[in-house]
Amino acid sequence: FDKELLFLTCKMAHVLGTARRLGTTVIDGLPLFRNAWGVARGSSAAVAQRQQSAPGPQQPTRPVRAREDAYKACLIDAAGTLLSPSEPAAEVYQRYASKYQPADQVLSQPEILARFRRAYSTPWAQSTIRYVGDGRPFWRFIVQESTLCKDEAMFEEVYQYYARAEAWSLSPGATDALVQMREAGILLAVVSNFDTRLRQILDGLQVEHLFDAVIISAEVGVEKPNRCIFEAALEALGVQAEEAVHVGDDRRNDLWGARDAGVHAWLWAPEGVSNFADLANRVIHGSRLAEWEPDD
C-alpha cells in the first residue's frame, strides 16, 4: 500500500507540474509514446528518438558495451556541476544596482554576498517550491534583498542576464564527455532545481541536444531531494533506479536525494567525481566509485 501511495503521489506531482499535452510519434510503424515532458518513454524509445532527430543518413549502430554491469543512464545536476556562473553573483548584482542607485547607496560586493546568502537561506513561504515557472517571484526577492534596490527595471536586467548563455560556463570537458557517453549508448538526463530558463541556457551553450531528457523542478512541481524528481527522470529514460547513476554537488539534494530514490549517486567534489573525463570513464566502464559519506 505504501509503495502504491508513493507511486500515485509522484504521478500527481508530474501531472500538476506540467501543462504539456501528450503526443505520439510513429517509428517503423509502431507508436512512440511521450511522457508529460515530451520525452519518449523507454530506453529503446529514447535511442529511436536520437536516430529520428539525427541529421543526414542514419548513423551506424553504437557498439555494445563490454561490461554487463555498466550503467544504462547518467543523471546530471545543472548549476554547480554541469555549469557555473561566468561571474560572481555579487559582482553582477553590484554592476546592475549601480545603474539604478546613487553611488553612496550601492553596497559593496562583500555586503551583497552576505545578504545574498542570508536571503537564499530564508525559508520560501510563497509556494511549496522555490522555482515556480520562470521563478521571477523568488529571484525578485533575492535580488532586492541582496542589493536593497527595489527598482523593477534593475531586477529585470539581472533576470534577463542570467537567462543568457554567456552568463554561464560549462564545466571543462563537459561537452566531450557527454558526446563520449552518448556514443557508448548511455542515456543522459539533466535533473535540476531550476526555473524554466534552463532550457534556453542549455540550448545557448549547445548541449541541450545531447540529453535525452531535461527534468526541471519548475516544470515537474517537485524539487530535489524529493525522490519524485529522480523518478520522473527514470520514467523519461525508461530505466530502473539501479541502472542509473546521478552526479551533483549538493550532499542533501543530489547525494541523499538520489539514493533515497534507489539511484546510485556520486558527489561532484574532490572526494567523489571532480571532472567530466573521470565521470565518463566511470559511467561507460561500469566502475563503482566508493560512495562517499559526509563527515557531518
Side-chain angles (χ1 to χ4, degrees):
F1 176 80
D2 290 341
K3 290 184 177 179
E4 183 179 357
L5 180 60
L6 175 61
F7 174 78
L8 292 174
T9 301
C10 292
K11 292 298 290 182
M12 284 299 297
H14 298 169
V15 172
L16 294 175
T18 179
R20 297 192 175 187
R21 297 178 59 187
L22 297 176
T24 59
T25 300
V26 176
I27 294 181
D28 296 335
L30 296 175
L32 175 63
F33 292 97
R34 297 177 183 272
N35 66 11
W37 303 280
V39 178
R41 288 182 290 191
S43 58
S44 59
V47 171
Q49 181 169 279
R50 290 184 183 183
Q51 295 173 344
Q52 183 187 40
S53 60
Q58 183 170 323
Q59 299 298 315
T61 303
R62 292 191 176 93
V64 177
R65 286 166 286 138
R67 297 182 62 96
E68 291 294 328
D69 61 344
Y71 291 109
K72 291 185 178 180
C74 182
L75 317 180
I76 303 174
D77 171 52
T81 304
L82 176 63
L83 49 86
S84 301
S86 300
E87 303 176 81
E91 182 178 323
V92 174
Y93 283 25
Q94 185 188 58
R95 181 169 70 246
Y96 284 103
S98 65
K99 296 172 59 176
Y100 295 90
Q101 290 177 309
D104 60 348
Q105 294 182 17
V106 176
L107 301 181
S108 67
Q109 290 185 26
E111 289 176 312
I112 292 174
L113 179 59
R115 294 184 64 87
F116 176 93
R117 289 172 173 169
R118 186 161 58 248
Y120 199 85
S121 63
T122 300
W124 183 243
Q126 293 189 25
S127 56
T128 56
I129 59 175
R130 288 179 172 180
Y131 314 124
V132 176
D134 61 18
R136 272 186 168 85
F138 175 76
W139 286 115
R140 181 179 292 107
F141 168 76
I142 296 297
V143 171
Q144 292 180 352
E145 288 295 310
S146 300
T147 63
L148 294 180
C149 179
K150 307 298 183 181
D151 195 303
E152 181 66 16
M154 179 268 184
F155 160 71
E156 192 61 28
E157 283 203 55
V158 173
Y159 182 88
Q160 293 299 335
Y161 167 80
Y162 281 110
R164 300 196 294 269
E166 56 264 33
W168 302 89
S169 298
L170 286 173
S171 292
T175 300
D176 290 342
L178 294 173
V179 170
Q180 185 180 2
M181 286 189 283
R182 279 179 62 87
E183 291 179 345
I186 306 297
L187 296 169
L188 301 174
V190 170
V191 180
S192 178
N193 289 350
F194 215 104
D195 58 62
T196 52
R197 290 175 293 179
L198 182 57
R199 293 183 184 276
Q200 176 182 337
I201 294 166
L202 294 176
D203 181 62
L205 292 171
Q206 300 182 355
V207 293
E208 185 181 21
H209 68 285
L210 297 177
F211 291 97
D212 299 286
V214 177
I215 308 300
I216 305 171
S217 62
E219 295 180 349
V220 300
V222 290
E223 291 180 342
K224 295 181 292 184
N226 191 316
R227 63 183 297 168
C228 290
I229 193 171
F230 295 100
E231 291 172 351
L234 297 174
E235 179 189 355
L237 297 179
V239 298
Q240 300 299 310
E242 63 272 15
E243 298 173 326
V245 62
H246 174 75
V247 61
D249 67 316
D250 190 286
R251 299 178 189 178
R252 175 174 175 268
N253 289 343
D254 296 303
L255 198 66
W256 302 341
R259 289 177 181 174
D260 186 52
V263 176
H264 295 276
W266 298 333
L267 189 69
W268 183 259
E271 303 91 338
V273 177
S274 58
N275 63 78
F276 268 87
D278 184 35
L279 174 64
N281 180 64
R282 293 179 186 276
V283 171
I284 292 171
H285 298 291
S287 59
R288 299 296 191 263
L289 178 66
E291 304 250 304
W292 177 71
E293 296 291 348
D295 296 329
D296 53 355

